[in-house]
């Protein structure tokens, strides 16, 4: 067991005696552990996370966001007759009543109840299940539609501002070439710069007032949804660090980026990468069944484009991190970020070819 956990675990109001605590999950940002306790014969499981504070710089605001969003969701779920203990995350305070624990080495830890009898998927097993995740993220957005958005802090400013990502992060990374890698990825750099016109499109529509800001999740990867153990129904949306005012399109597009790719996000053989239009349709149907009524025409018109843009943006972020020397995303090997970027750009190229079909699918679902 990680030595810091010996200090951290006793700080939380967990019930029972510790049986085991081991690393868990496969996110790119935080470090997640599963702690198992024996409470007089009853097994209790808790998720403990060390938050990446170089990514999330204001821990107090981050945790305030999460506590207010989850308590709002709890009351919404109860009003709808749902099971509030399972359908949203349940955070556990420290014995001192704090929302997180700052350890002696400066690292910050938080804890929540493990959603029992649940599974998450790192790849999409079938279209039906992917459609279920669309229902879950659409429902999440609908349930938060009356949340006072102005009370939320921007945990990562400009998170999906693609124009900002391009001008203020990507281009400076190319110029600085801090890791001396630019020469090895000229083709990918050119891929981005030749498509720079994509970057301001949604930002301009926000400025014009055509796209409304809503409370959105902003990190709608499939593994941020917990399913019941049989894999039938989505139970709970997790990973709430980036819940902020954003666009419905960000949530839609980012899910498609991850889940409608015929290959894993870091598959090195890009010939395996393409957009699965059946998966695209299944997700769109699920998402629109919950969030669709609230969407305006401009949002509907840009759903297919948002998938392309979120994929482009994510590829650009992976490439930026590669150029910076792998300082943001966790990597398993030195070329990992470049492999991810190439993969995302292969998906962008395939989406470009199928954009008319993607738009037709949306039009057929919007009626
Ligand atoms: P990251 O920010 O690193 O992606 P997540 O909050 O998404 O961290 O957690 C990582 C993984 O841990 C999830 O994909 C999921 O499998 C598992 N997990 C997280 N929270 C819970 C929970 N409350 N109950 C069950 N499993 C969870
Ligand atoms: C990160 O934390 P995780 O693994 O759910 C990232 C997302 C990227 C994703 C790419 C806070 O998500 O924005 O789309 O990796 N989260 C943050 O897999 O940057
Ligand atoms: Mg996650």
């Amino acid at each position: 067991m990680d030595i810091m956990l010996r200090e951290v675990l006793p700080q939380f109001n967990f019930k029972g005696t510790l049986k085991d605590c081991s690393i868990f999950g496969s996110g790119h940002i935080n470090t997640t552990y599963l702690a198992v306790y024996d409470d007089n014969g009853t097994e209790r499981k808790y998720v403990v996370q060390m938050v990446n504070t170089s990514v999330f710089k204001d821990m107090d605001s981050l945790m305030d966001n999460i506590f207010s969003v989850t308590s709002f969701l709890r009351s919404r779920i109860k009003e709808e007759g749902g099971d509030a203990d399972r359908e949203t995350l349940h955070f556990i305070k420290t014995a001192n009543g704090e929302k997180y624990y700052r350890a002696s080495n400066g690292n910050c830890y938080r804890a929540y109840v493990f959603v029992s009898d649940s599974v998450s998927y790192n790849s999409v097993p079938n279209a039906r299940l992917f459609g279920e995740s669309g229902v879950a993220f659409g429902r999440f957005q609908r349930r938060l539609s009356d949340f006072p958005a102005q009370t939320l802090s921007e945990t990562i400013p400009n998170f999906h501002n693609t124009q900002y990502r391009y001008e203020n992060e990507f281009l400076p990374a190319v110029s600085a070439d801090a890791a001396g890698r630019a020469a090895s990825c000229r083709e990918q750099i050119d891929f981005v710069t030749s498509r720079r016109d994509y970057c301001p499109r949604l930002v301009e529509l926000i400025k014009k007032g055509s796209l409304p800001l809503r409370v959105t999740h902003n990190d709608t990867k499939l593994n941020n949804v917990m399913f019941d153990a049989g894999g039938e129904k989505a139970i709970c949306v997790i990973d709430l660090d980036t819940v902020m005012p954003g666009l419905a399109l960000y949530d839609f597009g980012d899910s498609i980026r991850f889940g409608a790719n015929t290959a894993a996000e870091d598959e090195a053989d890009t010939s395996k990468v393409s957009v699965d239009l059946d998966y695209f349709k299944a997700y769109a149907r699920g998402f629109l069944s919950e969030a669709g009524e609230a969407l305006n025409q401009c949002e509907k018109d840009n759903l297919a484009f948002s998938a392309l843009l979120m994929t482009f943006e994510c590829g650009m972020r992976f490439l930026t991190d590669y150029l910076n020397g792998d300082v943001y995303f966790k990597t398993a090997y030195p070329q990992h970020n470049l492999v991810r970027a190439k993969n995302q750009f292969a998906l962008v190229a395939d989406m470009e070819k199928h954009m008319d079909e993607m738009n037709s699918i949306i039009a057929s679902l919007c009626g």
Side-chain angles (χ1 to χ4, degrees):
M1 188 167 83
D2 184 327
I3 191 153
M4 281 316 292
L5 293 170
R6 295 194 191 285
E7 173 191 330
V8 169
L9 296 180
Q11 306 298 326
F12 288 91
N13 283 323
F14 297 146
K15 288 188 184 147
T17 321
L18 180 67
K19 273 173 42 187
D20 184 46
C21 186
S22 35
I23 207 147
F24 181 69
S26 55
H28 295 345
I29 307 293
N30 297 318
T31 306
T32 306
Y33 303 89
L34 176 63
V36 184
Y37 283 72
D38 174 29
D39 183 16
N40 289 322
T42 305
E43 191 179 71
R44 299 202 185 272
K45 289 182 179 172
Y46 301 99
V47 172
V48 177
Q49 276 184 328
M50 185 179 83
V51 178
N52 183 332
T53 44
S54 51
V55 169
F56 298 106
K57 296 186 167 46
D58 182 350
M59 196 59 196
D60 290 307
S61 300
L62 174 79
M63 293 310 290
D64 286 346
N65 272 6
I66 293 180
F67 269 78
S68 53
V69 163
T70 50
S71 43
F72 188 92
L73 283 171
R74 288 182 81 76
S75 32
R76 268 295 122 79
I77 293 164
K78 283 184 195 155
E79 277 163 29
E80 291 179 14
D83 179 350
D85 285 336
R86 272 176 84 66
E87 293 179 39
T88 187
L89 282 175
H90 186 89
F91 280 77
I92 297 173
K93 287 191 176 168
T94 69
N96 293 335
E98 305 289 342
K99 292 173 183 152
Y100 66 95
Y101 174 68
R102 190 179 293 273
S104 53
N105 63 0
N107 288 340
C108 294
Y109 293 80
R110 64 177 172 211
Y112 35 95
V113 177
F114 181 83
V115 181
S116 57
D117 302 317
S118 70
V119 284
S120 68
Y121 294 91
N122 283 319
S123 61
V124 190
N126 56 59
R128 190 197 58 75
L129 196 133
F130 188 43
E132 261 297 303
S133 75
V135 174
F137 283 120
R139 184 178 292 150
F140 180 85
Q141 204 170 99
R142 176 180 58 72
R143 282 178 172 160
L144 288 171
S145 58
D146 296 331
F147 184 92
Q150 70 285 359
T151 62
L152 285 177
S153 307
E154 241 191 311
T155 55
I156 303 180
N158 293 304
F159 191 58
H160 282 308
N161 181 336
T162 318
Q163 180 68 2
Y164 181 92
R165 294 274 187 194
Y166 178 74
E167 277 176 7
N168 298 66
E169 294 180 355
F170 171 72
L171 290 180
V174 176
S175 306
D177 194 15
R181 288 169 159 178
S184 67
C185 54
R186 267 295 143 215
E187 198 186 320
Q188 286 69 42
I189 292 171
D190 292 346
F191 186 95
V192 174
T193 50
S194 64
R195 285 164 176 79
R196 64 184 170 278
D197 289 352
Y198 288 148
C199 298
R201 277 211 213 163
L202 297 187
V203 185
E204 292 299 329
L205 290 170
I206 299 174
K207 279 194 203 140
K208 270 173 58 188
S210 307
L211 291 175
L213 288 178
R214 305 179 185 280
V215 177
T216 49
H217 184 281
N218 294 306
D219 188 2
T220 51
K221 262 157 82 159
L222 183 69
N223 63 11
N224 288 330
V225 178
M226 302 308 300
F227 289 83
D228 65 11
E232 286 295 313
K233 288 273 165 216
I235 311 171
C236 175
V237 166
I238 62 166
D239 203 345
L240 306 179
D241 296 323
T242 50
V243 177
M244 294 181 274
L247 298 182
L249 297 172
Y250 300 154
D251 282 2
F252 180 83
D254 195 46
S255 281
I256 300 299
R257 171 192 80 72
F258 186 82
N261 188 344
T262 49
E265 178 187 76
D266 61 352
E267 168 61 58
D269 180 356
T270 52
S271 71
K272 293 185 179 156
V273 173
S274 62
V275 57
D276 186 316
L277 294 178
D278 290 334
Y279 281 27
F280 176 80
K281 186 172 187 174
Y283 187 92
R285 184 182 281 127
F287 185 81
L288 290 169
S289 72
E290 288 280 343
E293 232 170 79
L295 301 188
N296 71 22
Q297 196 54 45
C298 185
E299 288 172 302
K300 290 176 186 165
D301 291 345
N302 281 284
L303 283 166
F305 173 69
S306 75
L308 187 152
L309 187 70
M310 288 297 99
T311 310
F312 178 74
E313 179 189 278
C314 194
M316 178 166 70
R317 290 174 62 200
F318 287 142
L319 186 59
T320 302
D321 199 34
Y322 180 72
L323 289 163
N324 288 339
D326 309 323
V327 293
Y328 185 93
F329 296 104
K330 284 185 188 165
T331 49
Y333 54 95
Q335 301 293 304
H336 205 166
N337 271 319
L338 181 59
V339 164
R340 289 171 175 149
K342 287 180 181 173
N343 176 303
Q344 299 296 286
F345 296 152
L347 187 57
V348 167
D350 198 54
M351 285 183 184
E352 286 172 343
K353 283 191 207 138
H354 292 99
M355 197 37 64
D356 288 348
E357 286 151 278
M358 288 162 70
N359 275 316
S360 301
I361 290 170
I362 298 294
S364 72
L365 291 172
C366 290

